[in-house]
Amino acid sequence: MFTLIKNTLFSVSLFNISFNKKKESTQIKEEALVSILEEKVPFKDSKTLYGICGLELIDKMSNDLTAYLFIQKNKDHSSWNLVVPVIIDRITNEALQFGQGYFALEGSGVGLSYTDSIFRKLKEHKANGFNVSICPIIVDNKLLDDFEYIDSNLKWNDLLKDGINLANYQKREFVWIYKQYSEIKAKYQL
């Protein structure tokens, strides 16, 4: 009988010890997660970014355009290196900034289709007698993420300072991205 009680007390003690360790471990993980989130989102005031519906605004622009396709250097948010299109009116310097997550130059789905739609709109603009330039630029992910916030004080030309022209960065998946970009550009004769 004494052995039975002794074994029962021993197992209860082990359970309590492991339960407390688990609780401490969970608390440490939660504190680490809060710390990471605080570091990751230093900016709070996000811009109003355009999605696919914003493509109609290209029709309203009445000057020559430069379309920057800012491409993530690393795949942080998705399976693809996401693209952030920014269309600049060369005379007024007005910018149409589209949101990260809608556009891509990889795959065969919606992101690529939306990018194709931008090229179609740019071709229509060119057919109206305007000059159109397209510049695909690879940009550091953190810089591109911060660009979506007003309080980051980043402007589109800040992305050009550290950016790499897609034609000059033919590594890993960027060979395929450049191929997709070239095919769409040729399709719309831009």
Side-chain angles (χ1 to χ4, degrees), residues 23-71:
K23 186 177 177 182
E24 288 173 13
S25 175
T26 303
Q27 188 176 11
I28 290 169
K29 286 179 184 176
E30 287 175 0
E31 289 171 2
L33 181 61
V34 167
S35 173
I36 289 169
L37 290 174
E38 287 173 354
E39 286 177 23
K40 191 146 180 114
V41 187
F43 306 113
K44 307 250 186 282
D45 193 7
S46 63
K47 295 177 184 175
T48 302
L49 305 170
Y50 297 106
I52 191 68
C53 297
L55 292 179
E56 301 303 318
L57 295 172
I58 296 172
D59 296 337
K60 296 180 182 351
M61 298 179 95
S62 58
N63 293 308
D64 295 342
L65 301 178
T66 300
Y68 291 102
L69 302 176
F70 294 112
I71 305 164

Side-chain angles (χ1 to χ4, degrees), residues 57-135:
L57 295 172
I58 296 172
D59 296 337
K60 296 180 182 351
M61 298 179 95
S62 58
N63 293 308
D64 295 342
L65 301 178
T66 300
Y68 291 102
L69 302 176
F70 294 112
I71 305 164
Q72 285 181 330
K73 189 169 186 179
N74 300 301
K75 298 176 184 184
D76 283 351
H77 304 298
S78 101
S79 300
W80 312 119
N81 295 74
L82 300 176
V83 175
V84 174
V86 178
I87 313 296
I88 307 295
D89 181 310
R90 290 190 208 160
I91 304 297
T92 66
N93 218 23
E94 175 189 354
L96 292 178
Q97 181 180 342
F98 294 86
Q100 190 172 198
Y102 295 100
F103 304 90
L105 281 166
E106 296 175 89
S108 59
V110 175
L112 187 60
S113 175
Y114 287 171
T115 302
D116 188 89
S117 297
I118 284 182
F119 279 75
R120 183 177 35 79
K121 285 291 186 186
L122 293 172
K123 180 181 180 176
E124 291 170 6
H125 196 75
K126 185 176 179 181
N128 290 331
F130 298 105
N131 291 317
V132 173
S133 300
I134 303 171
C135 302

Side-chain angles (χ1 to χ4, degrees), residues 40 42-43 141-149 152 154:
K40 191 146 180 114
F43 306 113
N141 289 32
K142 179 158 178 21
L143 198 60
L144 204 53
D145 290 345
D146 293 350
F147 180 58
E148 294 196 344
Y149 292 89
S152 72
L154 286 173

Side-chain angles (χ1 to χ4, degrees), residues 80 105-108 112 166 169-183:
W80 312 119
L105 281 166
E106 296 175 89
S108 59
L112 187 60
L166 178 60
Y169 195 80
Q170 296 294 300
K171 298 178 182 177
R172 301 177 316 272
E173 65 270 9
F174 292 100
V175 172
W176 177 254
I177 292 171
Y178 184 75
K179 182 179 182 290
Q180 289 282 79
Y181 162 76
S182 298
E183 287 175 3

